[in-house]
Coordinates of all heavy atoms in Angstrom, one line a residue:
M1 N -33.6 -0.9 -22.2 CA -33.2 -1.1 -20.8 C -32.4 0.1 -20.3 O -31.6 0.6 -21.0 CB -32.3 -2.4 -20.7 CG -31.8 -2.7 -19.3 SD -31.0 -4.3 -19.2 CE -32.3 -5.3 -18.7
P2 N -32.8 0.5 -19.1 CA -32.1 1.7 -18.5 C -30.6 1.5 -18.2 O -30.2 0.3 -18.0 CB -32.9 2.0 -17.2 CG -34.0 1.1 -17.2 CD -33.8 0.0 -18.2
D3 N -29.9 2.5 -18.2 CA -28.5 2.5 -17.8 C -28.5 2.6 -16.3 O -28.5 3.7 -15.7 CB -27.7 3.6 -18.5 CG -26.2 3.6 -18.1 OD1 -25.8 2.9 -17.2 OD2 -25.5 4.4 -18.7
Y4 N -28.4 1.4 -15.6 CA -28.6 1.4 -14.1 C -27.4 2.1 -13.5 O -27.6 2.8 -12.4 CB -28.7 0.0 -13.6 CG -30.0 -0.6 -14.0 CD1 -30.1 -1.7 -14.8 CD2 -31.2 -0.1 -13.5 CE1 -31.3 -2.3 -15.2 CE2 -32.4 -0.7 -13.9 CZ -32.5 -1.8 -14.7 OH -33.7 -2.3 -15.0
D5 N -26.2 2.0 -14.0 CA -25.1 2.7 -13.4 C -25.3 4.2 -13.4 O -25.0 4.9 -12.4 CB -23.8 2.3 -14.1 CG -23.3 0.9 -13.9 OD1 -23.7 0.3 -12.9 OD2 -22.6 0.3 -14.8
K6 N -25.7 4.7 -14.5 CA -26.0 6.2 -14.6 C -27.1 6.6 -13.6 O -27.0 7.6 -12.9 CB -26.4 6.5 -16.0 CG -26.7 8.0 -16.2 CD -27.1 8.3 -17.6 CE -27.5 9.8 -17.7 NZ -28.2 10.1 -18.9
L7 N -28.2 5.8 -13.6 CA -29.3 6.1 -12.7 C -28.8 6.0 -11.2 O -29.2 6.9 -10.4 CB -30.4 5.1 -12.9 CG -31.2 5.2 -14.2 CD1 -32.2 4.1 -14.4 CD2 -31.9 6.6 -14.3
E8 N -28.0 5.0 -10.9 CA -27.5 4.9 -9.5 C -26.7 6.1 -9.1 O -26.7 6.7 -8.0 CB -26.8 3.6 -9.3 CG -27.7 2.4 -9.2 CD -27.0 1.1 -9.0 OE1 -25.7 1.1 -8.7 OE2 -27.6 0.1 -9.0
K9 N -25.8 6.6 -10.1 CA -25.0 7.7 -9.8 C -25.8 9.0 -9.6 O -25.5 9.7 -8.6 CB -24.0 7.9 -11.0 CG -23.0 9.0 -10.8 CD -22.1 9.1 -12.0 CE -21.1 10.2 -11.8 NZ -20.2 10.3 -12.9
E10 N -26.9 9.2 -10.4 CA -27.8 10.3 -10.2 C -28.5 10.2 -8.8 O -28.6 11.2 -8.1 CB -28.8 10.3 -11.3 CG -28.3 10.7 -12.7 CD -29.3 10.5 -13.8 OE1 -30.5 10.3 -13.5 OE2 -28.9 10.6 -15.0
L11 N -28.9 9.1 -8.5 CA -29.6 8.9 -7.2 C -28.7 9.1 -6.0 O -29.1 9.8 -5.0 CB -30.3 7.5 -7.1 CG -31.1 7.2 -5.8 CD1 -32.2 8.3 -5.6 CD2 -31.7 5.8 -5.9
R12 N -27.5 8.6 -6.1 CA -26.5 8.8 -5.0 C -26.3 10.3 -4.8 O -26.2 10.8 -3.7 CB -25.3 8.0 -5.3 CG -25.4 6.6 -5.1 CD -24.1 5.8 -5.3 NE -24.3 4.4 -5.4 CZ -24.6 3.6 -4.3 NH1 -24.6 4.1 -3.1 NH2 -24.8 2.3 -4.5
K13 N -26.2 11.0 -5.9 CA -26.0 12.5 -5.8 C -27.1 13.1 -5.1 O -27.0 14.0 -4.3 CB -25.8 13.1 -7.2 CG -25.4 14.5 -7.2 CD -25.2 15.0 -8.6 CE -25.0 16.5 -8.6 NZ -24.8 17.1 -9.9
D14 N -28.4 12.7 -5.5 CA -29.6 13.3 -4.9 C -29.6 13.0 -3.4 O -29.9 13.8 -2.5 CB -30.8 12.7 -5.5 CG -31.1 13.2 -6.9 OD1 -30.4 14.2 -7.4 OD2 -32.0 12.7 -7.6
C15 N -29.2 11.7 -3.0 CA -29.2 11.3 -1.6 C -28.1 12.1 -0.8 O -28.3 12.4 0.3 CB -29.0 9.8 -1.5 SG -30.4 8.8 -1.9
E16 N -27.0 12.3 -1.5 CA -25.9 13.1 -0.8 C -26.4 14.5 -0.5 O -26.1 15.1 0.6 CB -24.6 13.1 -1.6 CG -24.0 11.7 -1.5 CD -22.8 11.6 -2.5 OE1 -22.3 12.6 -3.0 OE2 -22.3 10.5 -2.7
V17 N -27.1 15.1 -1.5 CA -27.6 16.5 -1.3 C -28.7 16.5 -0.1 O -28.6 17.3 0.8 CB -28.3 17.0 -2.6 CG1 -29.1 18.3 -2.3 CG2 -27.2 17.3 -3.6
L18 N -29.5 15.5 -0.1 CA -30.5 15.3 0.9 C -29.8 15.1 2.3 O -30.2 15.7 3.3 CB -31.5 14.2 0.6 CG -32.6 14.0 1.6 CD1 -33.5 15.2 1.7 CD2 -33.5 12.8 1.1
T19 N -28.8 14.3 2.3 CA -28.1 14.0 3.6 C -27.5 15.3 4.1 O -27.6 15.7 5.3 CB -27.0 13.0 3.4 OG1 -27.6 11.8 3.0 CG2 -26.2 12.8 4.6
N20 N -26.8 16.1 3.2 CA -26.2 17.4 3.6 C -27.3 18.3 4.2 O -27.0 19.1 5.1 CB -25.4 18.0 2.5 CG -24.2 17.2 2.2 OD1 -23.7 16.5 3.0 ND2 -23.7 17.3 1.0
S21 N -28.4 18.3 3.5 CA -29.5 19.2 4.0 C -30.0 18.8 5.4 O -30.2 19.7 6.2 CB -30.7 19.1 3.0 OG -31.8 19.7 3.5
F22 N -30.1 17.5 5.7 CA -30.5 17.1 7.0 C -29.4 17.4 8.1 O -29.7 17.7 9.2 CB -30.9 15.6 7.0 CG -32.4 15.5 6.6 CD1 -32.7 14.9 5.4 CD2 -33.4 15.8 7.5 CE1 -34.0 14.8 5.0 CE2 -34.7 15.7 7.2 CZ -35.0 15.1 5.9
V23 N -28.2 17.2 7.7 CA -27.1 17.6 8.6 C -27.2 19.0 9.0 O -27.1 19.4 10.2 CB -25.7 17.2 8.0 CG1 -24.6 17.8 8.9 CG2 -25.5 15.7 7.9
K24 N -27.3 19.9 8.0 CA -27.5 21.3 8.2 C -28.7 21.6 9.1 O -28.6 22.4 10.1 CB -27.6 22.1 6.9 CG -27.6 23.6 7.1 CD -27.7 24.3 5.8 CE -27.9 25.8 6.0 NZ -28.2 26.5 4.8
Q25 N -29.8 21.0 8.8 CA -31.0 21.2 9.5 C -30.8 20.8 11.0 O -31.3 21.4 11.9 CB -32.2 20.5 8.9 CG -33.5 20.7 9.6 CD -34.6 19.9 8.9 OE1 -34.5 19.4 7.8 NE2 -35.8 19.8 9.5
Y26 N -30.2 19.6 11.1 CA -30.0 19.1 12.5 C -29.1 20.0 13.3 O -29.4 20.4 14.4 CB -29.3 17.7 12.4 CG -28.9 17.1 13.7 CD1 -29.9 16.5 14.5 CD2 -27.7 17.3 14.3 CE1 -29.6 15.9 15.7 CE2 -27.4 16.7 15.5 CZ -28.3 16.1 16.2 OH -28.0 15.6 17.4
N27 N -28.0 20.5 12.7 CA -27.0 21.4 13.4 C -27.7 22.7 13.8 O -27.4 23.3 14.8 CB -25.8 21.6 12.5 CG -24.9 20.4 12.4 OD1 -25.0 19.5 13.3 ND2 -24.1 20.3 11.4
E28 N -28.6 23.2 12.9 CA -29.3 24.5 13.2 C -30.4 24.3 14.2 O -30.7 25.3 15.0 CB -29.8 25.1 11.9 CG -28.7 25.5 11.0 CD -29.1 26.0 9.7 OE1 -30.3 26.0 9.4 OE2 -28.3 26.5 8.9
N29 N -31.1 23.2 14.2 CA -32.4 23.1 15.0 C -32.5 22.0 16.0 O -33.4 22.1 16.8 CB -33.6 23.0 14.0 CG -33.6 24.1 13.0 OD1 -33.5 25.3 13.4 ND2 -33.8 23.8 11.7
Y30 N -31.7 21.0 15.9 CA -31.9 19.8 16.7 C -30.7 19.4 17.5 O -30.8 18.4 18.3 CB -32.4 18.6 15.8 CG -33.7 18.9 15.2 CD1 -33.8 19.4 13.9 CD2 -34.9 18.6 15.8 CE1 -35.0 19.6 13.3 CE2 -36.1 18.8 15.2 CZ -36.1 19.3 13.9 OH -37.3 19.5 13.3
I31 N -29.6 20.0 17.4 CA -28.4 19.5 18.0 C -28.5 19.3 19.5 O -28.0 18.4 20.1 CB -27.1 20.3 17.6 CG1 -25.9 19.5 17.9 CG2 -27.1 21.6 18.4 CD1 -24.7 19.9 17.0
S32 N -29.2 20.2 20.2 CA -29.4 20.0 21.6 C -30.8 19.4 22.0 O -31.1 19.3 23.1 CB -29.2 21.4 22.3 OG -30.2 22.3 21.8
A33 N -31.5 19.1 21.0 CA -32.9 18.5 21.2 C -32.7 17.0 21.6 O -31.7 16.4 21.3 CB -33.7 18.6 20.0
G34 N -33.7 16.5 22.2 CA -33.7 15.1 22.5 C -35.1 14.6 22.5 O -36.1 15.3 22.1
G35 N -35.2 13.3 22.8 CA -36.5 12.7 23.0 C -37.4 12.8 21.7 O -37.0 12.5 20.6
A36 N -38.6 13.2 22.0 CA -39.7 13.2 20.9 C -39.3 14.1 19.7 O -39.6 13.8 18.6 CB -41.0 13.6 21.5
K37 N -38.7 15.2 20.0 CA -38.3 16.2 19.0 C -37.3 15.5 18.0 O -37.4 15.6 16.8 CB -37.8 17.5 19.5 CG -37.6 18.5 18.5 CD -37.2 19.9 19.1 CE -37.1 20.9 18.1 NZ -36.8 22.2 18.6
L38 N -36.3 14.8 18.6 CA -35.3 14.1 17.7 C -36.0 12.9 17.0 O -35.7 12.7 15.8 CB -34.2 13.7 18.6 CG -33.0 13.0 17.8 CD1 -32.4 14.0 16.8 CD2 -31.9 12.6 18.8
D39 N -36.8 12.2 17.7 CA -37.5 11.1 17.0 C -38.3 11.6 15.8 O -38.4 11.0 14.7 CB -38.5 10.4 18.0 CG -37.7 9.6 19.0 OD1 -36.5 9.3 18.8 OD2 -38.3 9.3 20.0
A40 N -39.0 12.8 16.0 CA -39.8 13.3 14.9 C -38.9 13.7 13.7 O -39.2 13.5 12.5 CB -40.6 14.5 15.4
F41 N -37.7 14.3 14.0 CA -36.7 14.6 13.0 C -36.3 13.4 12.2 O -36.2 13.4 11.0 CB -35.5 15.3 13.7 CG -34.4 15.5 12.7 CD1 -34.4 16.6 11.8 CD2 -33.2 14.7 12.8 CE1 -33.3 16.8 11.0 CE2 -32.2 14.9 11.9 CZ -32.2 16.0 11.0
I42 N -36.0 12.3 12.9 CA -35.5 11.1 12.3 C -36.6 10.5 11.4 O -36.4 10.1 10.3 CB -35.0 10.1 13.3 CG1 -33.6 10.6 13.8 CG2 -34.8 8.7 12.7 CD1 -33.0 9.8 15.0
Y43 N -37.9 10.5 11.9 CA -39.0 10.1 11.1 C -39.2 10.9 9.9 O -39.3 10.3 8.8 CB -40.3 10.1 12.0 CG -41.5 9.7 11.2 CD1 -41.7 8.3 11.0 CD2 -42.4 10.6 10.7 CE1 -42.8 7.9 10.2 CE2 -43.5 10.2 9.9 CZ -43.7 8.9 9.7 OH -44.8 8.5 9.0
E44 N -39.1 12.2 10.0 CA -39.2 13.1 8.8 C -38.1 12.8 7.8 O -38.4 12.7 6.6 CB -39.1 14.5 9.3 CG -39.1 15.5 8.1 CD -38.9 17.0 8.6 OE1 -39.1 17.3 9.8 OE2 -38.5 17.8 7.7
M45 N -36.9 12.6 8.3 CA -35.8 12.3 7.4 C -36.0 11.0 6.7 O -35.8 10.9 5.4 CB -34.5 12.2 8.3 CG -33.3 11.9 7.4 SD -31.9 11.5 8.5 CE -32.5 10.1 9.4
Q46 N -36.5 9.9 7.3 CA -36.8 8.6 6.7 C -37.9 8.8 5.6 O -37.8 8.2 4.5 CB -37.2 7.6 7.7 CG -36.0 7.2 8.6 CD -36.4 6.3 9.8 OE1 -37.4 6.5 10.4 NE2 -35.6 5.3 10.0
Q47 N -38.9 9.6 6.0 CA -40.0 9.8 5.0 C -39.4 10.6 3.8 O -39.9 10.3 2.6 CB -41.1 10.6 5.6 CG -41.9 9.8 6.7 CD -42.5 8.6 6.0 OE1 -42.1 7.4 6.4 NE2 -43.4 8.7 5.1
E48 N -38.6 11.5 4.0 CA -38.0 12.3 2.9 C -37.2 11.4 1.9 O -37.2 11.5 0.7 CB -37.1 13.4 3.4 CG -36.7 14.4 2.3 CD -37.9 15.1 1.7 OE1 -38.9 15.4 2.4 OE2 -37.8 15.4 0.5
F49 N -36.5 10.4 2.5 CA -35.7 9.5 1.7 C -36.7 8.6 0.9 O -36.5 8.3 -0.3 CB -34.7 8.6 2.5 CG -33.4 9.3 2.7 CD1 -33.1 9.9 3.9 CD2 -32.5 9.4 1.7 CE1 -31.9 10.5 4.2 CE2 -31.2 10.0 1.9 CZ -31.0 10.6 3.1
N50 N -37.8 8.2 1.5 CA -38.8 7.4 0.8 C -39.4 8.2 -0.3 O -39.6 7.7 -1.5 CB -39.9 6.9 1.7 CG -39.4 5.8 2.7 OD1 -38.5 5.1 2.4 ND2 -40.1 5.7 3.8
D51 N -39.7 9.4 -0.1 CA -40.3 10.3 -1.1 C -39.3 10.5 -2.2 O -39.7 10.6 -3.4 CB -40.7 11.7 -0.5 CG -41.9 11.6 0.5 OD1 -42.5 10.5 0.5 OD2 -42.1 12.5 1.2
T52 N -38.0 10.6 -1.9 CA -37.0 10.8 -2.9 C -37.0 9.6 -3.9 O -36.9 9.8 -5.1 CB -35.6 11.0 -2.3 OG1 -35.7 12.3 -1.5 CG2 -34.5 11.1 -3.3
A53 N -37.1 8.4 -3.3 CA -37.1 7.2 -4.1 C -38.3 7.2 -5.1 O -38.2 6.9 -6.3 CB -37.1 6.0 -3.2
V54 N -39.5 7.5 -4.5 CA -40.7 7.5 -5.4 C -40.6 8.5 -6.5 O -40.9 8.3 -7.6 CB -41.9 7.8 -4.5 CG1 -43.2 8.0 -5.3 CG2 -42.1 6.6 -3.5
K55 N -40.2 9.8 -6.1 CA -40.0 10.8 -7.1 C -39.0 10.5 -8.2 O -39.2 10.7 -9.4 CB -39.6 12.1 -6.5 CG -40.7 12.8 -5.6 CD -40.2 14.0 -4.9 CE -41.1 14.5 -3.9 NZ -40.6 15.6 -3.0
F56 N -37.9 9.9 -7.8 CA -36.8 9.5 -8.7 C -37.4 8.5 -9.7 O -37.2 8.7 -10.9 CB -35.7 8.9 -7.9 CG -34.5 8.5 -8.7 CD1 -33.5 9.5 -9.0 CD2 -34.3 7.2 -9.2 CE1 -32.4 9.2 -9.8 CE2 -33.2 6.9 -10.0 CZ -32.3 7.9 -10.3
L57 N -38.1 7.5 -9.3 CA -38.7 6.5 -10.2 C -39.8 7.1 -11.1 O -39.8 6.9 -12.3 CB -39.3 5.4 -9.4 CG -38.2 4.5 -8.7 CD1 -38.9 3.6 -7.7 CD2 -37.4 3.7 -9.7
Q58 N -40.6 8.0 -10.5 CA -41.7 8.6 -11.3 C -41.1 9.5 -12.4 O -41.5 9.5 -13.5 CB -42.6 9.4 -10.4 CG -43.5 8.6 -9.6 CD -44.3 9.4 -8.6 OE1 -44.0 10.5 -8.2 NE2 -45.4 8.8 -8.1
Q59 N -40.1 10.3 -12.1 CA -39.5 11.3 -13.0 C -38.9 10.5 -14.2 O -38.7 11.1 -15.3 CB -38.5 12.2 -12.3 CG -39.1 13.1 -11.4 CD -38.1 13.9 -10.6 OE1 -36.9 13.5 -10.5 NE2 -38.5 15.0 -9.9
R60 N -38.4 9.3 -14.0 CA -37.8 8.6 -15.0 C -38.7 7.5 -15.6 O -38.2 6.6 -16.4 CB -36.5 8.0 -14.5 CG -35.5 9.1 -14.3 CD -34.5 8.7 -13.2 NE -33.5 9.8 -13.0 CZ -33.7 10.8 -12.2 NH1 -34.9 10.9 -11.5 NH2 -32.8 11.8 -12.0
D61 N -39.9 7.5 -15.3 CA -40.9 6.6 -15.8 C -40.5 5.1 -15.5 O -40.5 4.3 -16.4 CB -41.2 6.8 -17.3 CG -42.5 6.2 -17.7 OD1 -43.4 6.0 -16.9 OD2 -42.6 5.8 -18.9
L62 N -40.0 4.9 -14.3 CA -39.5 3.6 -13.9 C -40.3 2.9 -12.8 O -39.8 1.9 -12.2 CB -38.0 3.7 -13.5 CG -37.1 4.1 -14.6 CD1 -35.7 4.4 -14.0 CD2 -36.9 3.0 -15.7
T63 N -41.5 3.4 -12.5 CA -42.3 2.9 -11.4 C -42.7 1.4 -11.6 O -42.9 0.7 -10.6 CB -43.5 3.7 -11.1 OG1 -44.3 3.8 -12.3 CG2 -43.1 5.1 -10.6
N64 N -42.7 0.9 -12.8 CA -43.1 -0.5 -13.1 C -41.9 -1.3 -13.4 O -42.0 -2.5 -13.7 CB -44.0 -0.5 -14.3 CG -45.4 0.1 -13.9 OD1 -45.8 0.0 -12.8 ND2 -45.9 0.8 -14.9
N65 N -40.7 -0.8 -13.3 CA -39.4 -1.5 -13.5 C -38.9 -2.1 -12.2 O -38.4 -1.4 -11.3 CB -38.4 -0.6 -14.1 CG -37.1 -1.3 -14.5 OD1 -36.6 -2.0 -13.7 ND2 -36.6 -1.0 -15.7
K66 N -39.1 -3.4 -12.0 CA -38.7 -4.0 -10.7 C -37.3 -3.9 -10.4 O -36.9 -3.6 -9.2 CB -39.1 -5.5 -10.8 CG -40.5 -5.8 -10.8 CD -40.8 -7.3 -10.8 CE -42.3 -7.5 -10.8 NZ -42.6 -9.0 -10.7
E67 N -36.4 -4.0 -11.3 CA -34.9 -3.8 -11.1 C -34.6 -2.4 -10.6 O -33.9 -2.2 -9.7 CB -34.1 -4.3 -12.3 CG -32.6 -4.2 -12.0 CD -32.1 -5.2 -11.0 OE1 -32.8 -6.2 -10.7 OE2 -31.0 -5.0 -10.5
A68 N -35.2 -1.4 -11.3 CA -34.9 0.0 -11.0 C -35.5 0.3 -9.6 O -34.8 1.0 -8.8 CB -35.6 0.9 -12.0
K69 N -36.7 -0.3 -9.3 CA -37.2 -0.1 -7.9 C -36.3 -0.7 -6.8 O -36.1 0.0 -5.8 CB -38.6 -0.8 -7.8 CG -39.7 0.0 -8.3 CD -41.0 -0.8 -8.2 CE -42.2 0.0 -7.9 NZ -43.4 -0.7 -7.8
K70 N -35.9 -1.9 -7.1 CA -35.0 -2.6 -6.1 C -33.7 -1.8 -5.9 O -33.4 -1.5 -4.7 CB -34.7 -4.0 -6.6 CG -33.7 -4.7 -5.8 CD -33.5 -6.1 -6.4 CE -32.2 -6.7 -5.9 NZ -31.7 -7.8 -6.6
R71 N -33.1 -1.4 -6.9 CA -31.9 -0.6 -6.8 C -32.1 0.8 -6.1 O -31.3 1.2 -5.2 CB -31.2 -0.4 -8.2 CG -30.7 -1.7 -8.7 CD -30.1 -1.4 -10.2 NE -29.7 -2.6 -10.8 CZ -28.5 -2.8 -11.3 NH1 -27.6 -1.7 -11.3 NH2 -28.1 -3.9 -11.9
T72 N -33.2 1.4 -6.5 CA -33.5 2.7 -5.9 C -33.8 2.6 -4.4 O -33.2 3.4 -3.6 CB -34.7 3.3 -6.6 OG1 -34.4 3.5 -8.0 CG2 -35.1 4.7 -6.0
L73 N -34.6 1.6 -4.0 CA -34.9 1.5 -2.6 C -33.7 1.1 -1.8 O -33.5 1.5 -0.7 CB -36.0 0.5 -2.4 CG -37.4 0.9 -3.0 CD1 -38.4 -0.2 -2.9 CD2 -37.8 2.2 -2.2
N74 N -32.8 0.2 -2.4 CA -31.6 -0.2 -1.7 C -30.7 1.1 -1.4 O -30.1 1.2 -0.3 CB -30.8 -1.2 -2.5 CG -31.4 -2.6 -2.4 OD1 -32.1 -2.9 -1.4 ND2 -31.1 -3.4 -3.3
I75 N -30.5 1.9 -2.4 CA -29.7 3.1 -2.2 C -30.3 4.1 -1.2 O -29.6 4.5 -0.3 CB -29.5 3.8 -3.6 CG1 -28.6 2.9 -4.5 CG2 -28.8 5.2 -3.4 CD1 -28.5 3.3 -5.9
T76 N -31.6 4.4 -1.4 CA -32.2 5.3 -0.4 C -32.2 4.8 1.0 O -32.0 5.5 2.0 CB -33.6 5.8 -0.9 OG1 -34.4 4.6 -1.1 CG2 -33.5 6.6 -2.1
K77 N -32.4 3.5 1.2 CA -32.4 2.9 2.5 C -31.0 3.0 3.1 O -30.8 3.2 4.3 CB -32.8 1.4 2.4 CG -34.3 1.2 2.3 CD -34.7 -0.2 2.3 CE -36.2 -0.4 2.0 NZ -36.5 -1.9 2.0
H78 N -30.0 2.8 2.3 CA -28.6 2.8 2.7 C -28.3 4.3 3.2 O -27.7 4.4 4.3 CB -27.6 2.5 1.6 CG -26.2 2.8 1.8 ND1 -25.4 2.0 2.6 CD2 -25.4 3.8 1.4 CE1 -24.2 2.5 2.7 NE2 -24.2 3.6 2.0
Y79 N -28.7 5.3 2.5 CA -28.4 6.6 2.9 C -29.2 7.0 4.2 O -28.7 7.7 5.1 CB -28.7 7.6 1.8 CG -27.5 7.8 0.9 CD1 -27.3 6.9 -0.2 CD2 -26.5 8.7 1.1 CE1 -26.2 7.0 -1.1 CE2 -25.4 8.8 0.3 CZ -25.3 8.0 -0.8 OH -24.2 8.1 -1.6
A80 N -30.5 6.6 4.2 CA -31.3 6.9 5.4 C -30.7 6.2 6.6 O -30.6 6.8 7.7 CB -32.7 6.4 5.1
K81 N -30.3 5.0 6.5 CA -29.7 4.2 7.6 C -28.4 4.9 8.1 O -28.2 5.1 9.3 CB -29.3 2.8 7.2 CG -28.8 2.0 8.3 CD -28.5 0.5 7.9 CE -27.8 -0.2 9.0 NZ -27.4 -1.5 8.6
K82 N -27.6 5.4 7.1 CA -26.3 6.1 7.5 C -26.7 7.4 8.3 O -26.0 7.7 9.3 CB -25.5 6.5 6.3 CG -24.7 5.3 5.8 CD -23.9 5.7 4.5 CE -23.1 7.0 4.6 NZ -22.3 7.2 3.4
C83 N -27.7 8.1 7.9 CA -28.1 9.3 8.6 C -28.6 9.0 10.0 O -28.3 9.6 11.0 CB -29.2 10.0 7.8 SG -28.6 11.0 6.5
V84 N -29.5 8.0 10.1 CA -30.0 7.6 11.4 C -28.9 7.2 12.3 O -28.8 7.6 13.5 CB -31.1 6.4 11.3 CG1 -31.4 5.9 12.7 CG2 -32.3 6.9 10.6
E85 N -27.9 6.4 11.8 CA -26.8 6.0 12.7 C -26.0 7.2 13.1 O -25.5 7.3 14.2 CB -25.9 5.0 11.9 CG -26.6 3.7 11.8 CD -25.8 2.7 10.8 OE1 -24.8 3.2 10.2 OE2 -26.2 1.5 10.7
H86 N -25.8 8.1 12.1 CA -25.0 9.4 12.4 C -25.7 10.2 13.5 O -25.0 10.6 14.5 CB -24.8 10.2 11.2 CG -24.2 11.5 11.5 ND1 -22.9 11.7 11.7 CD2 -24.8 12.8 11.5 CE1 -22.6 13.0 11.9 NE2 -23.8 13.7 11.8
F87 N -27.0 10.4 13.4 CA -27.6 11.3 14.3 C -27.8 10.6 15.7 O -27.9 11.2 16.7 CB -29.0 11.8 13.8 CG -28.8 12.7 12.6 CD1 -29.4 12.4 11.4 CD2 -28.0 13.8 12.7 CE1 -29.2 13.2 10.3 CE2 -27.8 14.7 11.6 CZ -28.4 14.4 10.4
S88 N -27.9 9.3 15.7 CA -28.0 8.5 16.9 C -26.7 8.6 17.7 O -26.7 8.7 18.9 CB -28.3 7.1 16.6 OG -29.6 6.9 16.1
K89 N -25.6 8.6 17.0 CA -24.3 8.7 17.7 C -24.1 10.1 18.2 O -23.5 10.3 19.3 CB -23.1 8.4 16.7 CG -23.0 7.0 16.3 CD -21.9 6.8 15.3 CE -21.9 5.4 14.7 NZ -20.9 5.2 13.6
V90 N -24.5 11.1 17.5 CA -24.4 12.5 17.9 C -25.1 12.8 19.2 O -24.6 13.5 20.0 CB -24.8 13.4 16.8 CG1 -24.9 14.9 17.2 CG2 -23.9 13.3 15.6
T91 N -26.3 12.1 19.3 CA -27.1 12.5 20.5 C -26.7 11.7 21.8 O -27.2 12.0 22.8 CB -28.6 12.2 20.2 OG1 -28.7 10.8 19.9 CG2 -29.1 13.0 19.1
K92 N -25.8 10.8 21.6 CA -25.4 10.0 22.8 C -24.3 10.7 23.6 O -23.5 11.5 23.2 CB -24.9 8.6 22.4 CG -26.1 7.8 22.0 CD -25.6 6.4 21.6 CE -26.9 5.6 21.1 NZ -26.5 4.3 20.8

């Protein structure tokens, strides 16, 4: 059985790095953008969090582990939601 606490800690670290990357990208390229360009950025960000979850599970050979999938998706969804909320507030 996997050490879920250790896995969650690793995934949270990966998500924090990804979040920081999107904040930097946003500040450099999208801070004054609006409309469709910002929507595309948010969509790309959500896809990247989904891809991170899939890669995380694959790299640890956990794609068939229901508990690992559940925990992984919950964490990545949480970070993606925080990012969407952050960027939505910034653009208002």
Side-chain angles (χ1 to χ4, degrees):
M1 178 172 265
D3 180 349
Y4 292 115
D5 290 335
K6 180 182 176 194
L7 291 171
E8 286 183 8
K9 186 176 179 180
E10 291 172 8
L11 180 59
R12 289 183 190 281
K13 184 178 177 183
D14 290 349
C15 285
E16 288 173 13
V17 168
L18 184 57
T19 298
N20 290 336
S21 171
F22 274 107
V23 168
K24 182 180 178 188
Q25 183 180 348
Y26 177 83
N27 289 337
E28 291 174 357
N29 302 314
Y30 295 93
I31 200 156
S32 62
K37 190 171 183 181
L38 184 59
D39 289 342
F41 171 77
I42 289 174
Y43 177 78
E44 176 187 338
M45 181 189 60
Q46 290 171 319
Q47 289 302 114
E48 190 64 34
F49 275 104
N50 287 337
D51 292 347
T52 296
V54 170
K55 289 176 194 172
F56 185 84
L57 292 167
Q58 288 173 340
Q59 289 172 345
R60 288 154 182 85
D61 198 26
L62 295 170
T63 54
N64 294 321
N65 182 314
K66 288 182 182 182
E67 184 64 20
K69 276 179 146 176
K70 177 181 158 190
R71 290 175 183 232
T72 299
L73 292 174
N74 283 340
I75 290 169
T76 54
K77 283 180 185 178
H78 169 77
Y79 276 89
K81 181 179 177 186
K82 280 177 51 176
C83 280
V84 169
E85 288 173 354
H86 171 77
F87 295 123
S88 294
K89 288 178 189 174
V90 170
T91 59
K92 289 182 181 179

